[in-house]
Amino acid sequence: MNTKEPRITLVGAGPGDPELITLKGLKALQSADVVLYDALVGEAMLDHVPAAAVKIYVGKRSGEHAYAQETINRLMVDYAVNYGHVVRLKGGDPFVFGRGYEELEFAAAHHIPATVVPGISSSIAVAGIQQIPVTHRGMSESFWVVTGTTTSGQVSADIYDAARSNATVVVLMGLKKLQEITNIFAAAGRADLPAAIIQDGSTPAERMVSGTVRNIAETAAREQIKAPSVLIFGEVVSLHPSFRSLQVLHAGVTEK
């Protein structure tokens, strides 16, 4: 019979690199009795979990749903009651398209104390690792973080507003809707806006392509860019060396 007090910790694992978890998140893992972990969590992260702890993969990716959210909620509470400390380990930050608040609400409804350990969100970190700032003096005063696909399977209506702004626009979970998203930007008169796509950001498998709204979908298809990927639209992309190289190359072609 479990004699430990049930409790839940929602931990953001960061964008993929296992070294990018916070110290507080690491300590939570080291004290876990059960870990429920997502698809975007690096397996190396589990090396910090006690050997006797129960480790359960509950990943959800496009086209692959190991568990429905309602089932994950129930598992989280049941394991807390029967084992003690449950760490819900989520990619990025629990509250950035991570459904973390739904899990908090479910825990509270069952009188299980829960705490949150924020994580480094891929919406900022993946661009930063590539030395693309989401804000830059004189170039971008703000940034949007938008989901590419809503629960209904449609492109988010917020992208239409974002495309008309001067802000940097970061789109998560948007690769399958890339052509539709670039069409929205082009219709807003932004066909020449710099754009980049970063696949598997912060991991050894990281890949990046850059260009403009006009050609980024074609480039991504040619380079066989896959999910998970972060899409970045904005003048700040022009600061990346690969973009400057492309501009020189295109200028040379034009001159000929």
Side-chain angles (χ1 to χ4, degrees), residues 22-157:
T22 64
L23 180 58
K24 191 165 188 175
L26 192 64
K27 288 180 177 179
L29 284 178
Q30 291 169 340
S31 67
D33 297 302
V34 178
V35 178
L36 305 179
Y37 65 99
D38 278 349
L40 298 181
V41 172
E43 291 287 333
M45 205 80 73
L46 301 179
D47 293 343
H48 302 291
V49 179
V54 179
K55 308 171 191 71
I56 304 167
Y57 171 76
V58 292
K60 296 196 297 292
R61 277 188 175 177
S62 179
E64 174 217 327
H65 295 276
Y67 290 93
Q69 184 62 47
E70 294 74 19
T71 303
I72 294 172
N73 294 347
R74 175 57 64 184
L75 285 172
M76 192 176 61
V77 166
D78 287 350
Y79 274 110
V81 170
N82 289 292
Y83 286 78
H85 183 205
V86 172
V87 170
R88 177 71 178 96
L89 188 61
K90 307 168 78 68
D93 180 89
F95 288 170
V96 181
F97 305 123
R99 303 183 73 170
Y101 194 76
E102 295 176 38
E103 295 173 351
L104 277 189
E105 285 186 309
F106 195 86
H110 290 81
H111 311 291
I112 307 292
T115 56
V116 178
V117 179
I120 298 173
S121 173
S122 62
S123 60
I124 301 172
V126 165
I129 289 168
Q130 280 287 344
Q131 300 183 29
I132 299 174
V134 291
T135 63
H136 184 62
R137 187 168 56 180
M139 186 173 282
S140 175
E141 297 175 354
S142 60
F143 62 95
W144 293 59
V145 180
V146 189
T147 180
T149 310
T150 65
T151 53
S152 65
Q154 305 300 310
V155 166
S156 171

Side-chain angles (χ1 to χ4, degrees), residues 233-254:
F233 300 92
E235 295 296 341
V236 292
V237 174
S238 68
L239 299 172
H240 193 275
S242 71
F243 184 85
R244 292 198 292 270
S245 298
L246 279 174
Q247 296 305 99
V248 171
L249 176 63
H250 290 160
V253 170
T254 302

